[in-house]
Amino acid sequence: MLGMSAESIGTFLTGLGLAIIAILGGKAGKEKVTGRQPGGAPVMEVAGAIVSDKAVERMVKSLDEFSSAAILMTAAIERDVDAKKALTRAMEKHSQDLKDNTEACVEMGRSIDKVDAHIGKLATEMEIQRAISDRGGK
Amino acid sequence: MIVVRLARGAWEHAGVRITEWIGAYPLYAMGAVLWHDWNVFGISPSFTVINSWASEAHWAVGFLLVANIRLIALFVNGYFRSFRHSPTIRFVASCAAGLSWSAFSSAFFISWLDNGGSPTAWVAYSTLVIIELRNAYVSRVDMAVTREASHARNVG
């Protein structure tokens, strides 16, 4: 073929392969050192990890979405805290009202006891008067 | 101890350079066989063309030389990282081994066509050529990495 012997063809093909490998290997080695990935995607270091630009873009986008969600959650938490504060105040007021009510009931109980004592005394006096008037009628 | 450190250095890079290590075996084995028995090429018509190019002794010296250069470069590259030229030596050894096995494959191929030799020999030896092409690639990458890193250090 082409006037070349099999030995020449074999040597030529091997030499051609080695030449191509020398070019490709040099390129790959250079890309390895400069931090570029095969295929040309630039890379950078983030927190000690080597990541490509696209991966960094995805990370930034996720962080932005996370920040937005965090802002919404903060507002919701603040509303929840305010509601709980109002509830606590209302419960404190009710607690005070119950205390006042209890004191009033205790006072009323004392008054009822007094009235009961007076009624007892009155009943006794009325009995005495009746007894006197019955003895006088005879 | 230096032997332990050499072995450790070789082991750490064995994964990437495994085919270079493996490729040293047929080089040594072929060199040893041809050096030991100077009538190997008379065993089969497959060796007719090889014998016409060079004798067993010449082939043995060539194979053993390439094998030794490769092994020294592999040990040095694994342990003495400051020696910048060992990837180049590995690349040259891979090229030499690849061309040697290519010559062997071609010779067996021609012997099969013209002298009634075995057709399987050139298949087996061409496999070694492919392995050496891979070794050449790996060592070439290491060459470029070493050169770029050295350049960056000098600039910095």
Side-chain angles (χ1 to χ4, degrees), chain B residues 1-114:
Chain B
M1 216 170 134
I2 186 125
V3 172
V4 172
R5 294 180 74 173
L6 280 172
R8 188 178 297 146
W11 180 254
E12 281 170 5
H13 295 94
V16 173
R17 299 176 195 152
I18 186 66
T19 49
E20 289 180 70
W21 285 104
I22 291 172
Y25 161 70
L27 290 169
Y28 264 121
M30 187 66 77
V33 162
L34 293 175
W35 185 259
H36 176 72
D37 186 353
W38 289 5
N39 198 30
V40 170
F41 290 166
I43 292 173
S44 164
S46 299
F47 294 107
T48 311
V49 175
I50 295 176
N51 197 20
S52 69
W53 294 342
S55 68
E56 288 93 331
H58 290 117
W59 281 108
V61 167
F63 279 125
L64 289 173
L65 186 65
V66 172
N68 280 320
I69 291 172
R70 163 170 282 170
L71 270 190
I72 290 169
L74 281 170
F75 272 117
V76 166
N77 210 174
Y79 180 63
F80 298 105
R81 302 220 180 114
S82 56
F83 183 62
R84 295 184 294 117
H85 302 294
S86 54
T88 307
I89 297 172
R90 284 168 47 218
F91 177 71
V92 169
S94 299
C95 290
L99 289 168
S100 300
W101 294 127
S102 173
F104 246 60
S105 304
S106 304
F108 279 119
F109 184 75
I110 297 167
S111 292
W112 171 49
L113 289 180
D114 297 341

Side-chain angles (χ1 to χ4, degrees), chain A residues 58 85 103 134:
Chain A
R58 283 198 296 268
K85 277 184 189 169
E103 284 174 2
D134 283 349

Side-chain angles (χ1 to χ4, degrees), chain A residues 30-79:
Chain A
K30 202 170 177 179
E31 284 175 357
K32 210 171 168 181
V33 173
T34 56
R36 291 173 67 86
Q37 291 182 350
V43 295
M44 61 184 73
E45 187 181 336
V46 177
I50 304 291
V51 292
S52 67
D53 263 4
K54 284 195 182 152
V56 169
E57 274 175 29
R58 283 198 296 268
M59 274 192 244
V60 169
K61 193 171 163 210
S62 300
L63 283 170
D64 283 342
E65 285 169 8
F66 178 75
S67 298
S68 305
I71 288 170
L72 289 173
M73 193 181 289
T74 304
I77 288 171
E78 280 173 0
R79 282 197 298 272

